[in-house]
Amino acid sequence: MKEIIRTLTEAFGPSGYEDQVREVIADMIKDHVDEISTDVMGNLIAVKRGTAPEGKRIMFSAHADEIGIIVTHIDEKGFLRFSNVGGLAPETLIGNRVRFSNGTIGVIYKEKGDLKDLNLDKLYVDIGAESQEEAEAKVKVGEFGIIHREFTDLGNRLVAKSMDDRIGCAILVEAIKQLQDTPNTLYFVFSTQEEVGLRGARTSAYTINPDLGIALDVTLTGDVPEGPRMEVSLGKGAAIKVKDSSMITNPKVKAFLTKLAEDNNIPHQFEVLERGGTDAGAIHLTRDGILAGTISIPCRYVHTASEMVDIRDVEACVDLVKAVATSDLKDLM
Ligand code: CO
Ligand code: ZN
């Protein structure tokens, strides 16, 4: 599974430009599902048809996009200025590198000035160009870039850029590979533009109109020096979301996921996230309301070049996805 995670986290896919991620995932799962399609928003939707006539429709969603930058200006010396695509903290960018779709690499640095006044306007990208013309031959205004960083295996702990949310994608890929026949029809959505407002999940949930929607996404942890006061820790299992800024999990869904985890001896913890949202926030407000929940992957250093997860939590999430997929959902309907 670590190879799947490496491949997915090293792929290029800022919001709106998820093509490469879509191709890689389609290739990984094509022999294990009944149908694969891509919709107008770019969502990759894989369907595994259920065997039971009374089976339900379950949508799983993990977002394929990652945070990044968009070039807004190129100056006469060939330095690029940029705006954010999704949530970027300026202090995490200094000295880091960006990569554009054609492979061009750039270094992010800052103008002089007080660090406490730092914002994105004070940062620039140096792609090694010596003039505006040379820079424009490599990168144009309006181009999207991602943080450039390789995957690193630290044993139980794994570090990469875009664990948010390629780790969710990897969990769905692995679950698809492990699942045998299921009573329910399963819709696996690798959604687009989550980082700019849960956009892909919104339209795919409308099309699929599932009986239950489950998002897979990272959440923050409180287990670091002087960290936020938050109960979630790396290595303590799949995190069942109770609340974030996009959704209060339906109590029935929270109880359903908790019981599945208990009955299957899957390590789990509860997550209360004070700020942030997931695809489930969009799914549960679709049509006349859809039962939805989120299985969160504990992750340190979210929205930096070095997002860290624990492989044991990842495996617990795979097991919980499989338990949901094969459940009769009778406690929910
Ligand atoms: Co994110
Ligand atoms: Zn995410």
Side-chain angles (χ1 to χ4, degrees), residues 63 65-67 86-87 164-165 194-195 217-218 277 302-303 307:
H63 66 90
D65 65 313
E66 67 191 286
I67 55 170
D164 177 10
D165 183 26
E194 189 273 351
E195 294 291 358
D217 207 338
V218 299
V302 172
H303 285 205
E307 300 178 327

Side-chain angles (χ1 to χ4, degrees), residues 1 6 27 67 77 99 118 129 141 148 208 239 253 261 278 308 327:
M1 192 178 180
R6 174 193 300 277
D27 201 52
I67 55 170
K77 289 184 170 166
R99 186 170 98 226
L118 190 67
V141 166
H148 176 61
I208 294 165
V253 177
T278 73
M308 183 186 290
S327 160

